[in-house]
Amino acid sequence: MSSADLAETFRRLIAATGPISLAQFMGEANAHYYGQREPFGTSGDFITAPDISQVFGELCGLWLADMWHQAGAPAKVHYVELGPGRGALAHDALRAMKAARLQPQVHLVEGSASLREEQAKQVPTAQFHDDLTTVPDDGVILLVANEFLDALPVRQLVMTDNGWREVLIGCDAQGRFIELPGSVPMDSAVPSHLREAKPGAVIETSPACAAVVGEIAQRLQAQGGAAVLIDYGHDTTRYGSSIQAVRGHEKVDWREAPGAADISAHVDFGAMGDVARAAGARVLGVAEQGAWLTALGVDQRFAALAQSSPDRRAELQSARDRLVDAKQMGALFKVLGLAAPRWPQGVGF
């Protein structure tokens, strides 16, 4: 099915049954998008931190290895990554782990057949899973999710003259997708401290994101281990729509061609921390990516690379700045650290 076919399917469904939820629109559009193409890298639609520099994956791996050592180096260990892209992060993290005397079993949660082929080239020992349910439960888990949560469907609520309503997707007379307020009152679904707002105010929630974080937390509570969830977002619930779409490294209208571009939304890390805590995990904290990487020694690692490859000094400085600088990824991207209840506090939180 092409993206044009998906758009037409949505139009027929809306004509037959009425407006659909934003979560359904986003979920089906992203499932189609990731199932049909490889979006990563300069030749794709966007670049993620592991594509910028090997240092990012190395430091993720060293953070997990340090947690493992502090916890007494348990014998049975599973490295788990959600949405591994092309496998670069796993490749770099596992190399760093090996240097720290940690060689875990590798489990990659990936639904795209084409991306699994790329990941297998980077990590030949990986076992693949459609979701977390089939990841073994016989050892501690060390989990990474980088730019995974932002692509999960969100639900939007908008304040109208008649109270809070869910944002739905309908069609105008020309067949263009538009946002419409639903008719069912939704005031009880809004946190009490946000209910009093002016008409037009929007808040976002993500039941899908909460379900994933809750499952990770339950695993940590039951099996032991630690996790870092890295994405762009904010540390407290706030007003405003954050939905966007990217194609060819440029922002495009996310309603225009469902399935032809990655649709994402900012992650509410404060809410996800509450979810993890309620599910039994220890919340280590939320840190800005730049501060977290700095605490892990990102500057020293880039300096060592520049010393060994002086002809790449400018390239390495550019990569470092992109990951760490507050005006680039350093402040917008956050890191949520989680651990089992009796595991140690992680560096950087």
Side-chain angles (χ1 to χ4, degrees), residues 175-197:
R176 294 172 297 198
F177 297 111
I178 56 174
E179 297 154 85
L180 302 167
S183 59
V184 178
M186 299 297 294
D187 299 72
S188 61
V190 179
S192 57
H193 67 285
L194 295 175
R195 287 179 189 167
E196 298 300 322

Side-chain angles (χ1 to χ4, degrees), residues 1-6 28-40 45 110-115 258-261:
M1 179 189 292
S2 67
S3 58
D5 292 334
L6 178 62
E28 293 191 24
N30 278 350
H32 181 277
Y33 174 77
Y34 283 99
Q36 297 294 319
R37 60 188 298 164
E38 183 184 322
F40 307 100
D45 291 325
E110 177 60 66
S112 166
S114 61
L115 285 175

Side-chain angles (χ1 to χ4, degrees), residues 8-28:
E8 190 54 38
T9 297
F10 280 146
R11 291 187 183 98
R12 289 198 301 268
L13 178 61
I14 292 167
T17 64
I20 61 176
S21 71
L22 172 57
Q24 180 180 355
F25 184 92
M26 181 176 174
E28 293 191 24

Side-chain angles (χ1 to χ4, degrees), residues 188-244:
S188 61
V190 179
S192 57
H193 67 285
L194 295 175
R195 287 179 189 167
E196 298 300 322
K198 295 180 180 179
V202 171
I203 62 170
E204 292 174 342
T205 64
S206 179
C209 187
V212 170
V213 173
E215 187 172 3
I216 293 169
Q218 290 169 3
R219 287 281 193 140
L220 293 173
Q221 193 277 333
Q223 296 175 233
V228 280
L229 313 180
I230 308 167
D231 230 308
Y232 52 87
H234 41 268
D235 53 12
T236 57
T237 304
R238 59 182 64 177
Y239 296 117
S241 173
S242 69
I243 297 179
Q244 65 177 25

Side-chain angles (χ1 to χ4, degrees), residues 9 64 119 128 260 288:
T9 297
L64 293 171
Q119 293 156 11
F128 291 97
E288 292 184 349

